[in-house]
Amino acid sequence: MKLLAKSWPQTDEGRAVGFFAQAAIELVHEKSWESYKLQALSPLARLHEAQTISQSVMNGVLPSKALDPVVEEANSSFCHDPIIRKIADRKRIEPKDIEISKDDKAQDIFTQCGFLLQLFQYRYRSTAEDLIVDECFGKKRRSEIYLLLKNYLSELVLRGHSRIQIEKKIRELFFDKVVTSVNRNTLRFFFRKFPEERREYDIYGKTEESLLNALGRLVPAEIIQGREVPRKLKTIFPKTKSEAYFKIRYKSYDHYSAIQGAGVILGIGEAMMMLFPGDQLGQVPQQLCASKRGSSDYKVSDTRPGFSRRILSYSKNSAVRHMDRVRKLVLSKDRSTEEIVGSSFFSATMMAGLGDKSTAPEVKLLTLWAAFEALLPNVPEGSTNRITHFLEYIVPAVTLSYPRDCFVEFSRELERLHVPEYKDYLEGLPIDKSSLSDRLAAVIISGDQSQQSGLCDVLKSNPLALFRLMDLQQKFSTPESFAKAVSDHRTRVEWQVQRIYRERNTVMHNGETSPAMLRILSNTYYYYLLTYASIETVAKSYGDLSIPQSLSAIRKLSQSDQAKIAKARASLKDNAIEAQSLLMQIISGHFHSDT
């Protein structure tokens, strides 16, 4: 989360635009909290996905039931997307008329998706921009601005605009310069920074001349020398006698996505060279620079696009304890059979490490899924639905700590940004909790208006923090909303795990990837890390359990949480304090890690 400058205009419109800027940079920034990042697919991208899956079903590659979660997710995103609703309203189309039926044949779903794409995709961006401007200077509803912005930025990224460029423009316009007033043109000016049409870019790099001579026969990489070499390039990439400069012309929306596109072209050439015998000629460069045609502005970036991974941080002492727990898991025995079972944990760790070292997203995804399978029990013999088996273990491990994580991550951000006011305020409240995140949760669940008002006063200069506080209140303040938040999150994880599995199968069997590959890979890393951490922590907290025992315990803990929520809902009317206590038990966690 990034704070606005003190000079930021404190009008109603100024605070709305300030919230827009804070939310935008958090959505595209790779290190932000997972719940506030861009979704893997925009509503329109889900239609493309449904088309692709229905085509695979028609071709006999996938069973018809593979369409069920895809259609369900597409309908859910359409139902909640104000941009889609606005376009449909203009066309006088009823919501029921754009809903896709799971009972339809694959051919009908394919046809309807094509019709809906034709209807929405050419009006989507302009409608989104109009709605964002109208909301920021009209009703100023934060939840509506956030939803519009999330769908708008997701669509920009999936069309080919790089997250690096989007973040750069947000910083330039809203954070790096003094902003003293805002109007509708402030946002319109921001939107114009992302062109509708791709432009031509010259991509430059250097590598061994022998490699370039071979690559030049396979891909459009042209060797340049003498006056053809831009003067700046010699400073950016000084070369040796055996090296040469090259240029690739590529159409894209910005420097960074152009470099990534050129990197894919070079990677294809390098892969094709592996088919022929002979000496190794070298490797394609991992860094290139780009300039728009006719411009002397050069940007340097990696050829491989980055993706976000949530990294757990450890202090020196806790890192030693963490490694000790891992060692015990690797060597653990199943007490019922006395067989060594920890080897699966070791195999999973090795596979994940191999994936981390690879530069190819496809290899990362395949090895990460192999690491997942190494952690989980074998698919029962004769089972025809492998994904159902994986969901039974992955989903509880990923979602178990969701309520707690929401408070822990938000509390850490507030402690970092609002020093010392946030900590002093919570520690001054008569709450019998030790950690700041538990104190924050108690303020929200108790419904104490004076405590909540005081916390809002601490955060009054931070529009995004106030929104996230309101978001937590809406999700977790009552047993009813708590149950819905947990259920919705579980459903989203189920959809995403199925998408990861489909992507893995497509890469493995067809050698193809989807446009959302990097977001899918990011979620795969995150889900793997959560599963790994859940196994490790449960194993230690409940008496050095084996991996199978830990996975069984995680499922039982997840069922226990659902039972507590149900009990809280039943007891709320007659005993509100007991209901609040049950919810706090879930948020406080089943165990306190020493990490």
Side-chain angles (χ1 to χ4, degrees):
M1 194 185 302
K2 192 167 176 61
L3 291 176
L4 298 166
K6 290 182 179 179
S7 59
W8 191 270
Q10 292 304 308
T11 61
D12 289 344
E13 290 79 9
R15 283 188 283 270
V17 175
F19 169 75
F20 167 91
Q22 282 187 296
I25 202 164
E26 182 160 43
L27 281 165
V28 298
H29 188 59
E30 295 294 355
K31 301 263 173 147
S32 61
W33 163 228
E34 194 73 22
S35 295
Y36 294 92
K37 285 182 181 173
L38 289 183
Q39 53 204 12
L41 296 179
S42 68
L44 293 186
R46 289 190 177 101
L47 277 180
H48 283 291
E49 181 185 49
Q51 260 199 326
T52 302
I53 302 302
S54 57
Q55 182 70 67
S56 296
V57 171
M58 288 156 56
N59 294 340
V61 176
L62 291 173
S64 58
K65 61 187 174 185
L67 268 169
D68 289 352
V70 179
V71 169
E72 187 180 341
E73 188 177 8
N75 283 335
S76 175
S77 66
F78 266 44
C79 174
H80 295 100
D81 186 2
I83 306 165
I84 293 291
R85 292 201 303 268
K86 184 68 174 179
I87 299 171
D89 186 54
R90 285 174 181 167
K91 294 287 181 181
R92 298 184 180 178
I93 299 173
E94 294 293 324
K96 61 182 177 60
D97 294 330
I98 61 175
E99 186 173 329
I100 306 168
S101 173
K102 289 194 291 186
D103 298 328
D104 285 347
K105 294 180 180 177
Q107 176 64 62
D108 296 332
I109 292 174
F110 180 87
T111 303
Q112 187 177 0
C113 288
F115 164 72
L116 293 175
L117 281 168
Q118 190 72 21
L119 180 66
F120 294 121
Q121 66 183 350
Y122 299 112
R123 303 171 183 85
Y124 194 86
R125 177 175 170 177
S126 60
T127 303
E129 292 172 354
D130 291 341
L131 288 174
I132 291 170
V133 173
D134 289 345
E135 193 63 47
C136 285
F137 290 89
K139 294 181 180 178
K140 307 173 186 66
R141 293 169 295 181
R142 302 301 192 260
S143 57
E144 194 76 2
I145 294 171
Y146 187 80
L147 182 56
L148 288 164
L149 181 59
K150 182 169 68 173
N151 288 343
Y152 174 74
L153 291 178
S154 286
E155 186 62 21
L156 273 188
V157 170
L158 287 160
R159 283 189 183 191
H161 294 273
S162 73
R163 297 163 74 101
I164 300 173
Q165 178 74 354
I166 296 172
E167 183 177 350
K168 184 171 176 286
K169 293 303 175 186
I170 297 168
R171 287 183 182 278
E172 286 178 359
L173 294 176
F174 299 112
F175 294 98
D176 292 347
K177 69 176 187 177
V178 176
V179 179
T180 56
S181 64
V182 296
N183 54 41
R184 288 173 176 263
N185 287 333
T186 305
L187 294 179
R188 294 286 183 197
F189 183 71
F190 169 73
F191 296 142
R192 287 198 296 271
K193 292 294 180 182
F194 309 105
E196 294 273 6
E197 301 292 329
R198 287 180 170 85
R199 302 167 181 173
E200 279 200 338
Y201 286 84
D202 289 329
I203 318 298
Y204 298 98
K206 57 118 187 187
T207 190
E208 293 295 321
E209 190 167 0
S210 56
L211 172 63
L212 280 175
N213 286 325
L215 274 175
R217 296 184 176 91
L218 302 170
V219 297
E222 169 194 352
I223 294 179
I224 56 174
Q225 50 193 345
R227 292 185 177 180
E228 294 178 302
V229 181
R231 191 177 300 172
K232 240 181 186 178
L233 183 60
K234 297 177 182 178
T235 307
I236 297 171
F237 295 137
K239 72 177 186 70
T240 63
K241 286 185 179 181
S242 63
E243 292 177 323
Y245 292 113
F246 65 89
K247 178 174 76 174
I248 295 176
R249 192 153 285 166
Y250 191 85
K251 274 193 170 185
S252 191
Y253 290 109
D254 56 66
H255 294 80
Y256 305 103
S257 56
I259 287 173
Q260 290 167 10
V264 172
I265 291 174
L266 290 172
I268 292 170
E270 188 177 38
M272 291 170 69
M273 287 167 57
M274 292 174 62
L275 301 175
F276 302 98
D279 295 332
Q280 290 292 320
L281 300 175
Q283 291 185 323
V284 299
Q286 293 298 305
Q287 277 202 328
L288 301 173
C289 69
S291 71
K292 203 189 313 180
R293 286 202 66 191
S295 168
S296 59
D297 181 24
Y298 291 83
K299 298 284 192 305
V300 179
S301 185
D302 291 336
T303 56
R304 286 289 180 185
F307 57 91
S308 63
R309 289 183 301 166
R310 187 178 177 210
I311 305 297
L312 296 179
S313 58
Y314 295 92
S315 67
K316 227 179 238 187
N317 289 335
S318 63
V320 172
R321 291 192 293 271
H322 162 72
M323 294 308 297
D324 187 52
R325 289 202 297 265
V326 170
R327 180 183 62 80
K328 286 182 179 178
L329 270 171
V330 169
L331 300 176
S332 64
K333 288 186 179 182
D334 186 327
R335 291 172 187 149
S336 62
T337 63
E338 290 300 312
E339 291 180 359
I340 297 290
V341 295
S343 58
S344 60
F345 199 79
F346 178 74
S347 299
T349 306
M350 290 295 293
M351 293 303 294
L354 287 172
D356 199 35
K357 290 180 184 302
S358 172
T359 58
E362 298 83 358
V363 176
K364 286 180 181 290
L365 183 65
L366 292 176
T367 50
L368 264 178
W369 189 263
F372 255 132
E373 292 202 26
L375 280 179
L376 307 179
N378 293 330
V379 179
E381 198 171 327
S383 174
T384 58
N385 197 346
R386 293 172 63 84
I387 185 59
T388 301
H389 172 77
F390 297 139
L391 288 171
E392 286 177 3
Y393 291 96
I394 295 174
V395 175
V398 170
T399 58
L400 183 65
S401 63
Y402 171 67
R404 175 169 176 75
D405 284 348
C406 286
F407 285 94
V408 169
E409 294 288 341
F410 185 45
S411 184
R412 283 175 181 167
E413 282 283 87
L414 297 185
E415 194 175 0
R416 178 178 66 85
L417 294 171
H418 296 274
V419 180
E421 297 88 354
Y422 169 71
K423 183 177 180 181
D424 290 348
Y425 177 74
L426 285 185
E427 288 184 343
L429 296 176
I431 296 173
D432 185 24
K433 298 291 178 185
S434 56
S435 72
L436 289 178
S437 59
D438 283 352
R439 285 174 170 269
L440 173 64
V443 168
I444 287 176
I445 288 179
S446 69
D448 189 312
Q449 303 245 336
S450 64
Q451 291 181 354
Q452 292 176 1
S453 177
L455 185 55
C456 287
D457 197 48
V458 171
L459 307 178
K460 62 185 177 183
S461 64
N462 190 337
L464 183 57
L466 289 172
F467 167 76
R468 285 180 59 172
L469 182 64
M470 177 196 71
D471 189 44
L472 289 178
Q473 286 175 325
Q474 290 179 343
K475 286 179 178 175
F476 299 110
S477 59
T478 68
E480 195 74 33
S481 62
F482 200 114
K484 185 177 185 307
V486 171
S487 174
D488 288 350
H489 178 65
R490 188 182 180 92
T491 300
R492 288 193 298 271
V493 171
E494 286 175 354
W495 286 338
Q496 191 61 19
V497 172
Q498 290 176 84
R499 178 173 290 115
I500 292 167
Y501 189 59
R502 285 196 305 270
E503 188 79 4
R504 174 262 183 197
N505 288 343
T506 303
V507 172
M508 172 72 80
H509 301 300
N510 299 345
E512 299 172 353
T513 62
S514 72
M517 173 63 163
L518 292 174
R519 288 296 297 132
I520 292 172
L521 183 56
S522 172
N523 283 332
T524 310
Y525 259 106
Y526 180 46
Y527 290 174
Y528 174 76
L529 185 59
L530 282 178
T531 303
Y532 188 99
S534 293
I535 291 172
E536 177 201 332
T537 312
V538 169
K540 171 62 179 175
S541 300
Y542 291 97
D544 293 328
L545 302 182
S546 67
I547 294 172
Q549 290 168 336
S550 298
L551 287 166
S552 177
I554 288 168
R555 294 172 71 186
K556 287 178 181 176
L557 287 170
S558 180
Q559 292 164 4
S560 171
D561 282 352
Q562 292 176 39
K564 285 177 183 175
I565 294 171
K567 187 177 179 181
R569 293 171 75 175
S571 62
L572 179 62
K573 196 171 183 181
D574 299 326
N575 194 341
I577 293 177
E578 182 188 4
Q580 292 170 5
S581 175
L582 288 166
L583 298 184
M584 279 303 303
Q585 287 175 33
I586 298 171
I587 290 174
S588 294
H590 311 89
F591 30 74
H592 287 281
S593 169
D594 57 11
T595 56

